[in-house]
Amino acid sequence: MIRPQAVHFDSTGDKFAASGRLYRSFLELDRMRAVVVCRMNDQPDELANEYLRLDEQGHSTVVVSQTWTEVHRVNERVRAALKEEGLLGVEDHSIDALEKVDLTAAEKRDARSYGPGRVIVFNQRIQKFEPGTVAQFVEVLDKGILAEVQDNLVVIQHRNLERINVCRPLTLPLASGDRLQLKANRRLQGGSIVTNGELVTVRQVRGDGAIELIDGRVLDAGYREFVPGYAVTSYGSQGRTVDYVLFSDSTIKAATNDQQWYVTISRGRRGIRIFTPDKEQLRENALRSGQRRLALELSRFARRSIRFRWADSLLRRYGERITTMIHRGRHFHQFNHALERHYEHKTT
């Protein structure tokens, strides 16, 4: 029997993080007892306890983990806890789903990326085939990927590789009340639209395999690109806001930096709680810059230049996107200056 314990949440830490005061944000969250130290093996149970407590109070909650291994582990534990407490439907339905494999464009050109059991799913129209069409990998050609689709051989050219996803099949137990994260944009058969990254809740599973959601939409049997949605990665949490965020820290240095820290702690409207086996290591990782070398170089440039001094604070807050804008703005300014000098020289 899981016994939820009262905890104190606070959401002011993200205000300090937004202004670049990362160390202060960490101290503030720690002061409010939002940082909990626990053993790595106990972390899934601690997260499940807190998830249950918040769910019973009617709050929307998501666990943010740093690796897919951790996401899978936490998803299983949280669902098991909800099932034990009778917060999910009694009957489980076995549903075949497709889990997206994260691949770069270069990796999609490598035959080794299409391992046994993996399939190709079109996320945009290719030739006469609609989004959601499932294909089998055949071989890599000079011009693209050869795939078998509905007894037809189709060449997916290299320039169209962003229109496909490589997925691994998996079987999920689904019951009323289960949480899913959708992994593909699509217009469903009923006309409704779903978007990649959405967190949705199951109302019931129909006999034909269609899944009714509590918001009224229906995932038809042709839409199977989803995974359990109790835990997501920090990347998957971007743009998703819930009442409370539970952060599962795995102390992996490469998985945490200042940008990811801000993204994670700012997802909760009402608060956050952080579970970590090593508080000092987490603090060190959160203060580590995640900007690329170009961003650092342009940050130095912004500090040197009076004309672009405003860019430094925007760079720290908004990251690489504003960095690119600064870079382009700098070159545009230099080009205009050279052009003015050229015409000035011609008229004198």
Side-chain angles (χ1 to χ4, degrees), residues 179-320:
R179 170 82 69 80
L180 298 175
Q181 184 184 30
L182 308 183
K183 302 300 290 183
N185 300 323
R186 194 74 45 78
R187 182 179 293 276
L188 302 173
Q189 291 179 2
S192 301
I193 295 176
V194 293
T195 57
N196 181 25
E198 270 194 89
L199 295 175
V200 298
T201 303
V202 176
R203 172 178 288 162
Q204 68 170 343
V205 179
R206 295 179 180 175
D208 61 357
I211 302 169
E212 293 184 20
L213 306 179
I214 60 172
D215 61 15
R217 292 177 295 177
V218 178
L219 303 180
D220 52 72
Y223 186 92
R224 284 298 178 263
E225 291 151 274
F226 49 74
V227 293
Y230 303 106
V232 300
T233 62
S234 58
Y235 176 80
S237 72
Q238 295 187 47
R240 317 296 164 196
T241 303
V242 293
D243 291 337
Y244 290 100
V245 168
L246 306 179
F247 178 41
S248 175
D249 174 46
S250 58
T251 70
I252 298 176
K253 184 175 182 179
T256 306
N257 56 48
D258 54 355
Q259 291 173 301
Q260 291 166 333
W261 173 256
Y262 173 66
V263 167
T264 299
I265 70 174
S266 62
R267 294 307 93 187
R269 285 185 292 261
R270 305 185 65 175
I272 180 173
R273 201 169 195 214
I274 300 159
F275 296 82
T276 178
D278 191 335
K279 186 190 299 186
E280 297 305 315
Q281 183 64 57
L282 172 61
R283 181 175 62 184
E284 179 183 327
N285 293 347
L287 297 178
R288 185 173 57 86
S289 175
Q291 297 289 350
R292 296 182 181 179
R293 183 177 179 182
L294 174 62
L296 296 175
E297 290 174 351
L298 288 175
S299 179
R300 297 189 194 102
F301 162 74
R303 285 192 290 270
R304 288 198 308 267
S305 173
I306 296 176
R307 186 181 297 271
F308 292 96
R309 185 169 293 170
W310 53 269
D312 189 46
S313 61
L314 292 179
L315 177 65
R316 290 197 305 270
R317 182 169 182 178
Y318 296 109
E320 194 171 333

Side-chain angles (χ1 to χ4, degrees), residues 55-106:
D55 185 76
E56 289 174 345
Q57 294 178 2
H59 297 303
S60 60
T61 308
V62 69
V63 179
V64 176
S65 299
Q66 296 169 303
T67 66
W68 275 110
T69 299
E70 183 72 7
V71 166
H72 294 320
R73 187 168 69 130
V74 173
N75 269 325
E76 290 178 4
R77 186 64 194 95
V78 170
R79 187 183 190 276
L82 291 170
K83 197 73 173 176
E84 290 171 10
E85 293 295 309
L87 298 176
L88 298 180
V90 176
E91 184 180 3
D92 277 347
H93 301 265
S94 294
I95 299 296
D96 293 329
L98 295 171
E99 182 181 28
K100 177 183 174 182
V101 180
D102 290 326
L103 298 174
T104 64

Side-chain angles (χ1 to χ4, degrees), residues 335-348:
F335 173 77
N336 276 350
H337 184 63
L339 197 63
E340 289 173 0
R341 292 186 61 184
H342 172 71
Y343 280 104
E344 182 180 348
H345 176 72
K346 288 184 66 175
T347 56
T348 57

Side-chain angles (χ1 to χ4, degrees), residues 12 25 48 56 100 123-124 141 190-191 234-235 251 285 302 333-334:
T12 59
S25 73
E56 289 174 345
K100 177 183 174 182
N123 55 45
Q124 296 181 43
L141 305 176
S234 58
Y235 176 80
T251 70
N285 293 347
H333 169 71
Q334 292 174 340

Side-chain angles (χ1 to χ4, degrees), residues 27-46:
L27 290 181
E28 185 68 16
L29 290 170
D30 192 24
R31 183 183 69 82
M32 302 302 293
R33 294 186 296 167
V35 182
V36 178
V37 178
C38 59
R39 294 189 306 170
M40 183 69 75
N41 290 339
D42 296 334
Q43 210 159 290
D45 288 332
E46 295 281 352

